[in-house]
Amino acid sequence: NQPPHYTQGNVECIDAMVSAFGQDAVRDYCRLTAFKYIWRLYSKDNVESNTRKALWFLRMSLGDDPRHE
């Protein structure tokens, strides 16, 4: 999903990050963020939600943008 607080104007935060820091840095960020969601899988929110978030970031880290489905 694309929560409105991740967008300024017509630009999503992750796209601005790519522009500012480059694709490689954002892929590393996505891997680290996926790790965070897996780390706290059973500690915050619910397991399914955290698993879906981890998968989203892992897909982004591979260049498979889930927003384009």
Side-chain angles (χ1 to χ4, degrees):
N1 75 37
Q2 296 172 295
H5 59 274
Y6 287 160
T7 303
Q8 296 292 324
N10 293 331
V11 179
E12 280 195 56
C13 182
I14 198 140
D15 296 321
M17 291 167 61
V18 171
S19 292
F21 303 105
Q23 188 66 46
D24 290 341
V26 174
R27 285 183 176 179
D28 287 341
Y29 163 80
C30 288
R31 286 183 194 102
L32 293 168
T33 302
F35 177 86
K36 173 187 73 173
Y37 282 112
I38 292 166
W39 180 269
R40 66 184 192 193
L41 195 62
Y42 297 101
S43 302
K44 185 173 184 263
D45 298 327
N46 65 53
V47 173
E48 183 176 332
S49 175
N50 282 323
T51 301
R52 289 185 185 283
K53 290 174 184 178
L55 288 171
W56 192 95
F57 281 102
L58 285 172
R59 287 183 63 189
M60 284 295 283
S61 78
L62 295 171
D64 179 21
D65 190 336
R67 298 173 296 170
H68 300 153
E69 293 183 336

